[in-house]
Amino acid sequence: MIMREATPEERRRFYLEEWNKREVPDFILHTISMREFGFDLDGKGPNNRYNQFLTVDQLGDFLRIRAPYSAYASVALYERPSAREGWLKAELALDIDAKDLPLKSCGCPPGSVCERCLDEARQVAKQFAEVLASDLGLRKINFIYSGRGFHIRVNDESVMTLEGNERAQLVDYVTGGVIPSDFTMALGYSKVFRERLERTFSSLRMEDLLEVRGMKRSLAQRLIQEKERAMEMIRKGKLDELSGLEGMGPKTFRNLLEFLTKLNSGFTDGKVTIDTKRILRLPSSLHSGVSMKCMVVQDIDRFKLEEAVPKFLREAAG
Ligand SMILES: [Zn+2]
């Protein structure tokens, strides 16, 4: 799969020939006049802010004329979006960026993505959304392919008026970002935490474990060799067995647990969720850094990256 920067000419072609207002999701379409739009016009950053469009056709005209490097819309709805004033409510958003995953099995260099880590980001997004739906009972959960990862955007009224600190707690819950007081409960946060811990543990390599304070090489080696067994202990909530391993001791165990919990939090950028005035890449627009379309994902399991490849890139590839 080719991922390269789009030229200004390709951007123009994309917006003239390919951009389609029907690919703007309903949740934006129906509230378009209440959102702040932001643009990166030349690839130097999204510093063209405070734009308001009353209709999607107005937005379309802007995109065709300016062919921006990137286009964004606020998660928030405002009374006066062109002044970013009169905040009414905001979607709950989670950003799972494949280039920033704390553990990747692919080994592609920092800042880049490949099909493998994009797939890992997809799995993480799916797991987060499952908790949002099952544990928190949320509906109207949308997946967006962002170009380098996935966004989860929740338009359920029950979360749209939450403040930043409440959103922060929600992120901790979904990611397994805090150590629970009880590991063994069959349901609720305890279970989510164990699932996240297990997932994080499964991707650990020897060199990761050696970063844990007090971790001896022999113990790290053993944990990697007997990973399956350790994962089973985590899954079943038998963390006392894990802490009882030879050479572990309560202190190292605590350090290990804190290390893993911190990694858990790193699977999404919490700052994005907490910021109720954030702008997020506009679904339907072009991510010019990678020449991929940012788009709504109807079925997260079946989504194929090829669907996001713009025409100009397909033609260039022959
Ligand atoms: Zn990768």
Side-chain angles (χ1 to χ4, degrees), residues 104 106-108 112-114 116-117:
K104 300 213 276 190
C106 56
C108 68
S112 355
V113 299
C114 66
R116 191 151 158 194
C117 53

Side-chain angles (χ1 to χ4, degrees), residues 1 14 20-21 44 56 65 83-84 89 124 155 164 166-167 179 195 251 265 274 277 285 294 315:
M1 189 180 55
F14 174 81
N20 189 333
K21 65 180 176 187
K44 292 191 181 124
V56 71
I65 293 165
R84 215 184 289 158
K89 56 185 177 178
V124 171
N155 281 268
E166 296 166 308
R167 290 172 195 245
I179 301 174
E195 285 170 359
K251 231 181 190 164
S265 317
I274 294 164
K277 293 188 167 183
S285 71
C294 169
E315 285 170 11

Side-chain angles (χ1 to χ4, degrees), residues 1-18:
M1 189 180 55
I2 324 152
M3 281 199 176
R4 60 145 174 93
E5 195 173 40
T7 66
E9 181 50 33
E10 287 168 338
R11 275 150 45 193
R12 271 191 292 277
R13 261 197 70 194
F14 174 81
Y15 284 108
L16 278 174
E17 299 172 13
E18 201 171 345

